[in-house]
Amino acid sequence: MGIQTWTFLLVGISFAVYIGIAIWARAGSTKEFYVAGGGVPAVANGMATAADWMSAASFISMAGLISFMGYDGGVYLMGWTGGYVLLALCLAPYLRKFGKFTVPDFIGDRYYSQTARTVAVICAIFVSFTYVAGQMRGVGVVFSRFLEVDITTGVILGMCVVFFYAVLGGMKGITYTQVAQYCVLIFAYLVPAVFISILVTGNPVPQFGFGDTLADGSGTYLLDKLDGLSTELGFTEYTSGNKSMIDVFFITFALMVGTAGLPHVIVRFFTVPNVADARRSAGWALVFIAILYTTAPAVASFARMNMIETINGPDSAGVAYEGAPSWISNWEKTGLITWEDKNEDGRMFYSGDDRNEMKIDRDIMVLANPEIANLPAWVIALVAAGGVAAALSTSAGLLLVISTSISHDLLKRNLMPDISDKQELMYARIAAGCGIAVAAYLGIHPPGFVAQVVAFAFGLAASSFFPVIILGIFYKRMNKEGAIAGMLSGIGFTASYIIYFKFINPGANMPENWWFGISPEGIGTLGMIVNFIVAFAVQKMTGDAPEYIQDLVESLRYPKGSGEAQGH
């Protein structure tokens, strides 16, 4: 069977499984819709959390970034991994003890303010829609190549599946679907990595193959080979970086604290029975995440070397277009690879200087990697199924955040407190449906490549949610005025910076024009600092939080007991 047939088969089977799980686990109450009834086992929740957290950016784009950027791409690996550790150790148990469905619910009750709740809802929706745009671009990239449909059709297909199990099953359906999606995505990531590691280095363990010698008998180490190819072709050494130290720090930190402020990840800790299980599920999730994250640098390096050698040939003289590998023509059809014959010699050439004739979208590297290495068609199709699973799992979690923020935090807890449980569930499903429509539009017209868009979402989360959550848990005197002012100033500053450099004046998006040399991907760290400063300044001017709130915060510091999630 060909690649397209295998893709239809494997993606079709996986979609059937997801829909079947949604029917089996459909939600019948708001508690099941919001937190899966609060009875998910720790291991299953850890697997679902890993799938929720490892989005298309992790599966598709992160290794692509490392492949193209080398050392500089490692900031995404460090930031996202460190962020999850921060979330698991410093925030999850305390939020679980507080016992609310959503982050806006926590903020509204901790800061005793409907205004704070509304601001948090707006921030959650803003962050979630920014994040989901990256996921839908990932779905479009996968489908445009492997199902040979245009990106618009691919996005619509993906959103139809998400609509079915997110709207029908809520968090209960999403949780058990994400368990299946984790199994699909991790198997799809590891199988080609093992195959290619054996072909390139002779080592079946990709993590060890990454630092091993090549299988050609030359005794050359893989990274030394990449350094040599990179400098020969006009690129920076693969193991060296171009970014300034301050930008590396700010991007890494923004990704870390952004992870700790992501509402769709935080809500997962309310789906387990008690605080102890929240801790255990966090530990399991870290294990499941580490399996992919320790493999990504190896996948990036294998893909980089194979790509250069198949385009330029072993002697780096370029490959005749008529004799170019089939993977190039396959991806050319999607528009994600283009070739301009600058010297009119009929040969393709890829470099980092004026000789370059190729434009290659970095989001294709993981998906194209098995094709570049001439692996069997079923492996190529498996990677496609894994990419779709990664994108859809995170999209579902984000859409649930959007729907619960609107139905529970905005309507039930604010504008329409007298609606029944059944009416609230209906509004949640309507909100999810509307969210899916907006997400589809953003997937068809994305504001950047996958990991870049996701980095913006993390920056927005870092500048809005992280400070108020940290202060809400560890600084009992923080009041509602400080929290509201901090959130508005943090997200306002960060969003303005990103919008200016990425949309209003993209020509000025250069290091010499950035504030303090900080790129839009890292500005969330500065936005977080602005949030903290404004929050403390306003709190000093307006007084401490009420005594009963301070007592409540004191009780959170001892995360014992079940902390059953409450809707009120």
Side-chain angles (χ1 to χ4, degrees), residues 81-95 260 269 278-279 282-283 286 470 473-474 559:
T81 307
Y84 186 78
V85 175
L86 178 67
L87 171 63
L89 296 181
C90 296
L91 300 181
Y94 303 100
L95 291 171
F269 296 102
R279 289 183 181 275
L286 190 58
I470 284 289
I473 294 171
F474 297 105

Side-chain angles (χ1 to χ4, degrees), residues 496-516:
S496 299
Y497 192 90
I498 292 171
I499 291 168
Y500 176 77
F501 281 114
K502 289 299 178 180
F503 304 107
I504 296 175
N505 192 8
N509 189 24
M510 303 292 289
E512 58 268 23
N513 297 323
W514 297 337
W515 284 15
F516 313 110

Side-chain angles (χ1 to χ4, degrees), residues 111-113 478-486 534-535 538-539 542-544:
Y111 293 106
Y112 52 97
S113 167
M478 181 52 62
N479 62 16
K480 63 181 180 181
E481 292 85 2
I484 293 168
V534 170
V538 172
Q539 184 263 330
T542 53
D544 294 344

Side-chain angles (χ1 to χ4, degrees), residues 400-416:
L400 190 72
V401 166
I402 293 167
S403 69
T404 54
S405 294
I406 293 171
S407 64
H408 183 70
D409 299 307
L410 194 59
L411 299 181
K412 178 68 175 179
R413 298 301 309 276
N414 199 342
L415 302 178
M416 303 167 64

Side-chain angles (χ1 to χ4, degrees), residues 1 37 56 66 84 108-109 125 144-145 159 169-170 194 217 260 268 273 294-295 331 342 356 361 373 403 442 453 508:
M1 290 192 292
I66 298 171
Y84 186 78
D109 283 12
I125 292 172
S144 65
R145 163 64 190 94
M159 295 317 294
V194 170
R268 291 234 56 90
T294 56
T295 310
W331 283 97
K342 291 182 178 179
N356 183 47
D361 192 302
S403 69
L442 293 173
V453 175

